[in-house]
Amino acid sequence: MLAPPRVFDLIDEIDSTNAEALRRIEAGDHGPGVVVGLSQTGGRGRRGRRWESPKGGLYFTYYATTGAPLRTLSLLGFVAALAVADVVCSAGAEAVSLKWPNDVLVNGAKLSGILLESSAMTGGGAWFALGIGINLAAAPQGLDQATAGLDRAMSPEEGAQRLMERLLYWSGRLEAEGFGPLREAWLTQAYGLGELVNAAAGAGRIEGAFVDLDADGALLLDTDTGRVRITAGEVFFPGRA
Ligand code: BTN
């Protein structure tokens, strides 16, 4: 689904690399392209949150249009999480794990987040913007969850190059072999496998043991009333607090 980008722009300060990608797509630039910000003034996180984006971190968005069905695009989140894990491991990070759906953790604290935005286009096809933030410098403070940083173990410029290489690697495997190998690689690094999970899905909450990842990337929970598939939302591990 990902091809080598035609443009790879490095911008000193930007509002949000995802917002910039969307502006480009609206203006007719269908990519594939990459925008890297060295800092962001309005970094966007999932669920309308902010993403703290000081200098030293990596703020990266890959954007393109595709003929692939919209529902398959969510697998790009797994492509991105695996790529980020490779990059941060190559920078010397230890105890790296992947929290469903797309967070990358170090020692259980969030090091990287992924924001995948997409929409169908009139006339067919879809556009997507795969935004990735990695705390390559300090961990952001004052958030409602534990955060991690890499203490400048890698520069944003090098991180961006390595990230693009690993995105192409995992995307190539997805296209050639399907989701199977990505699912296995993700599960070997999964955070909290076998543990009790509290999932905020839609308006409700579901509690159960995290037992597997389904063939389409859904989280599988064993609950009191049987096995439940979670396809979107956020998960908490009460046992880890
Ligand atoms: C999350 O909330 O976990 C997702 C955070 C995604 C942040 C990245 S930084 C690069 C890109 N530009 C943005 O404004 N957001 C994403």
Side-chain angles (χ1 to χ4, degrees), residues 15-19 40 42-46 49-51 53 58-61 103 110 112-115 131-134:
D15 54 348
S16 149
T17 54
N18 265 38
Q40 296 185 123
R44 310 208 296 223
R46 293 178 70 220
R49 296 192 188 108
R50 274 182 57 81
W51 184 258
S53 309
L58 174 59
Y59 314 106
F60 177 108
T61 299
D103 288 350
K110 184 159 169 168
S112 168
I114 291 161
L115 179 66
I132 301 171
I134 310 180

Side-chain angles (χ1 to χ4, degrees), residues 22 29 39 68 76 110 117 155 157 181 199 204 223 236:
L22 268 53
D29 169 3
S39 63
L76 284 177
K110 184 159 169 168
E117 298 184 277
S155 71
E157 291 83 352
T223 72
F236 306 92

Side-chain angles (χ1 to χ4, degrees), residues 19-109:
E20 171 64 12
L22 268 53
R23 287 192 289 268
R24 290 182 182 196
I25 289 163
E26 271 167 19
D29 169 3
H30 289 174
V34 168
V35 189
V36 176
L38 295 179
S39 63
Q40 296 185 123
T41 53
R44 310 208 296 223
R46 293 178 70 220
R47 302 177 159 251
R49 296 192 188 108
R50 274 182 57 81
W51 184 258
E52 293 301 321
S53 309
K55 268 208 181 327
L58 174 59
Y59 314 106
F60 177 108
T61 299
Y62 178 101
Y63 63 94
T65 55
T66 176
L70 260 188
R71 68 188 152 69
T72 62
L73 286 182
S74 64
L75 296 181
L76 284 177
F78 292 92
V79 165
L82 289 164
V84 169
D86 288 347
V87 171
V88 300
C89 286
S90 77
E94 290 173 2
V96 174
S97 60
L98 304 180
K99 178 166 175 267
W100 191 88
N102 301 142
D103 288 350
V104 180
L105 313 182
V106 168
N107 285 317

Side-chain angles (χ1 to χ4, degrees), residues 1-3 169-179 182:
M1 273 193 251
L2 305 187
Y169 170 80
W170 285 112
S171 167
R173 291 203 64 181
L174 177 62
E175 247 170 82
E177 303 167 66
F179 186 53
L182 283 76

